[in-house]
Amino acid sequence: MDNHIVAIGTSNPGEAIPQAKIGEFMAMAHGLGSEEKRKLQFIYRISGIESRFSVLSDFHFQNPEEFAFFPKNKSLEPFPSTKRRMEVFRNMAPGLAEKAISKCLEDSEVEASEVTHLILVSCTGMYAPGVEMEIIAKMGFANTIERYAIHFMGCYAAFNGIKLADRILKSQKNAKVLVLAVELCTIHFQKVYNEDNLLANALFGDGAAALMMMQSSHGLKIKDYQSQIFSDGDEDMAWNIGDHGFEMKLTKYVPELLDTGIQFLREKLEKRFFLEKIKHFAIHPGGTQILKKVEQALGIPWEQNRHAHHVLKSFGNMSSVSILFVFAAILQDPLVSGDVLSMGFGPGLTMETLLIEKKG
């Protein structure tokens, strides 16, 4: 038998927040005049996103008196510190993770006590002992479970979690590896009105996903993978830890850089993954322009990457979690069979490519 993703559980906090409503909050928080507000609303309309989720209820409101996290004034001062935001992560991330894990275990028919390895993926919060330690006892994992943490690698980090799980299974064939990604992107909202913050505030949402990897004859078979660094983009996508949360650098040039990079690598990708024979794709839904440019570079219609568009539309960009939502949709789609080529992007600028095969 081969290494497969046999089940994926997902979860989101609270109720979906319409993109337009988030836009109204952002216009208020940025203190925008009518002309700048119209520009912001236009960006939100063409974002490809209809709704997102957040652990912060404040994004539902425009009246500061209804805020629970931000100060109850339109200037949002004193602006919440990084410490305050990490307190939210510590309080909210474990519960969100538990919901995703419970669904994953149920669908995989694996008991919690049978899980041998736990890999945590997150770039939006960290503390020690960590999310994974908090859920071990609650979920009924054995105290001999091996745990690993992949932090601060951004939107492509789940690919590294999957590759680590694959290598564990190659050395320990009876292992049952749980990969957990949990991202609370919205706790890092930045109110300074600049291009980086405007783009980040328009895209990111919160969620968690857990997948079970083991040797099996069904699910999503792990066939091949490859990493690629585009050094020209090292200043265009990055995370920094500031006094008021994690500061995202995400320039408008990222889609163009990916387009150019994939065009340059097209021949190598064809030789390794046989692009022309692949009918299904799972591109990280980092934004509508990213999806568009990557599809153009690969020469595929959006229909072949439709699940990524649907995830972006309903959830926004949940960083490392997003691609697992796409895989979950593919796993449940009876119309998808055969090879699926997936790509994820993150700080570096780094591209991870993963070839999986959908089996019954």
Side-chain angles (χ1 to χ4, degrees), residues 194-338:
N194 57 34
E195 181 182 277
D196 290 334
N197 293 338
L198 178 62
L199 291 174
N201 293 339
L203 291 173
F204 287 99
D206 299 348
L211 65 84
M212 178 62 65
M213 276 187 61
M214 55 190 289
Q215 291 212 337
S216 177
S217 59
H218 70 277
L220 302 177
K221 176 183 174 181
I222 308 302
K223 295 185 70 174
D224 195 10
Y225 36 77
Q226 175 178 276
S227 298
Q228 181 70 46
I229 296 174
F230 301 125
S231 57
D232 289 346
D234 59 355
E235 295 296 324
D236 292 278
M237 186 184 292
W239 277 104
N240 292 300
I241 300 177
D243 293 334
H244 303 287
F246 297 174
E247 300 166 353
M248 179 69 180
K249 183 174 181 59
L250 182 66
T251 76
K252 63 184 178 182
Y253 302 108
V254 170
E256 297 294 339
L257 289 167
L258 292 173
D259 183 11
T260 302
I262 294 173
Q263 293 279 12
F264 179 75
L265 293 172
R266 181 68 187 261
E267 185 176 343
K268 291 182 179 179
L269 291 170
E270 175 61 41
K271 287 182 178 179
R272 181 152 187 171
F273 300 110
F274 304 102
L275 293 179
E276 293 185 359
K277 296 182 179 180
I278 296 175
K279 297 180 180 179
H280 305 286
F281 291 80
I283 309 303
H284 165 64
T288 187
Q289 284 301 311
I290 286 178
L291 292 178
K292 180 179 179 181
K293 288 296 184 180
V294 174
E295 288 162 0
Q296 288 177 346
L298 294 173
I300 62 171
W302 78 268
E303 290 86 356
Q304 288 182 260
N305 186 38
R306 65 187 182 279
H307 290 299
H309 287 271
H310 293 158
V311 168
L312 180 66
K313 178 180 178 181
S314 300
F315 304 98
N317 181 351
M318 299 172 287
S319 192
S320 69
V321 172
S322 291
I323 197 63
L324 302 187
F325 271 61
V326 179
F327 288 169
I330 288 171
L331 198 56
Q332 297 299 319
D333 187 348
L335 299 179
V336 176
S337 64

Side-chain angles (χ1 to χ4, degrees), residues 76-275:
L76 307 184
E77 292 293 344
F79 204 43
S81 66
T82 301
K83 179 181 178 181
R84 176 77 178 94
R85 296 167 197 251
M86 289 300 94
E87 288 173 351
V88 173
F89 185 90
R90 184 164 191 164
N91 290 333
M92 301 300 293
L96 200 60
E98 288 171 24
K99 291 180 182 179
I101 292 171
S102 295
K103 182 66 166 60
C104 177
L105 293 176
E106 179 183 348
D107 290 350
S108 66
E109 299 182 350
V110 173
E111 297 293 331
S113 59
E114 297 178 280
V115 178
T116 59
H117 299 74
L118 174 59
I119 302 169
L120 171 69
V121 176
S122 183
C123 71
T124 52
M126 62 186 73
Y127 59 94
V131 173
E132 71 278 17
M133 283 295 285
E134 291 203 27
I135 63 179
I136 283 175
K138 291 182 181 179
M139 299 299 301
F141 294 125
N143 60 12
T144 55
I145 192 170
E146 292 185 26
R147 65 186 183 98
Y148 303 88
I150 296 175
H151 284 306
F152 234 58
M153 299 193 78
C155 295
Y156 67 88
F159 289 83
N160 290 320
I162 291 170
K163 291 193 296 184
L164 175 57
D166 182 60
R167 289 178 171 130
I168 290 171
L169 284 162
K170 286 177 178 177
S171 65
Q172 191 173 332
K173 296 186 182 301
N174 293 326
K176 292 178 174 59
V177 186
L178 186 71
V179 180
L180 166 68
V182 55
E183 302 286 12
L184 306 186
C185 304
T186 65
I187 66 175
H188 298 293
F189 160 68
Q190 301 295 315
K191 69 171 186 170
V192 175
Y193 191 60
N194 57 34
E195 181 182 277
D196 290 334
N197 293 338
L198 178 62
L199 291 174
N201 293 339
L203 291 173
F204 287 99
D206 299 348
L211 65 84
M212 178 62 65
M213 276 187 61
M214 55 190 289
Q215 291 212 337
S216 177
S217 59
H218 70 277
L220 302 177
K221 176 183 174 181
I222 308 302
K223 295 185 70 174
D224 195 10
Y225 36 77
Q226 175 178 276
S227 298
Q228 181 70 46
I229 296 174
F230 301 125
S231 57
D232 289 346
D234 59 355
E235 295 296 324
D236 292 278
M237 186 184 292
W239 277 104
N240 292 300
I241 300 177
D243 293 334
H244 303 287
F246 297 174
E247 300 166 353
M248 179 69 180
K249 183 174 181 59
L250 182 66
T251 76
K252 63 184 178 182
Y253 302 108
V254 170
E256 297 294 339
L257 289 167
L258 292 173
D259 183 11
T260 302
I262 294 173
Q263 293 279 12
F264 179 75
L265 293 172
R266 181 68 187 261
E267 185 176 343
K268 291 182 179 179
L269 291 170
E270 175 61 41
K271 287 182 178 179
R272 181 152 187 171
F273 300 110
F274 304 102
L275 293 179

